[in-house]
Amino acid sequence: MLLVGTVWIQGAFAAAERTVTLAVGHMTCATCPFVVRKALQQVDGVDTVRVDYESKTATVAFDPKIASVSDLTAATTRAGYPSEPTE
């Protein structure tokens, strides 16, 4: 019975999660994705971050009750990498 409760809680969190892809500017070297990822991971409510240097994008899964897309773009901009949603 405990396992069922745990699965339900995880499922409830996953249902609330949102994913957004950001176009990230100023990524000019292989180190840039690490800086972008770290900036995004520091935003409260962010679950996972994948940064792709080749496509100059960051895909972020986050809890929209805690963080917003503008929080994410502000974090990358403060780190020197302006971004905007691709969607």
Side-chain angles (χ1 to χ4, degrees), residues 1-9:
M1 187 152 195
L2 178 61
L3 180 60
V4 173
T6 302
V7 171
W8 181 82
I9 290 170

Side-chain angles (χ1 to χ4, degrees), residues 11-71:
F13 178 74
E17 193 170 80
R18 178 176 173 201
T19 301
V20 66
T21 299
L22 304 173
V24 183
H26 300 176
M27 285 205 297
T28 59
C29 70
T31 303
C32 295
F34 295 104
V35 177
V36 171
R37 182 177 343 119
K38 183 172 181 163
L40 290 166
Q41 288 173 329
Q42 291 177 350
V43 176
D44 288 339
V46 168
D47 184 35
T48 60
V49 178
R50 288 187 316 269
V51 181
D52 183 57
Y53 175 72
E54 293 297 318
S55 66
K56 310 289 193 256
T57 60
T59 303
V60 186
F62 64 100
D63 183 341
K65 293 178 183 177
I66 300 172
S68 67
V69 173
S70 63
D71 292 333

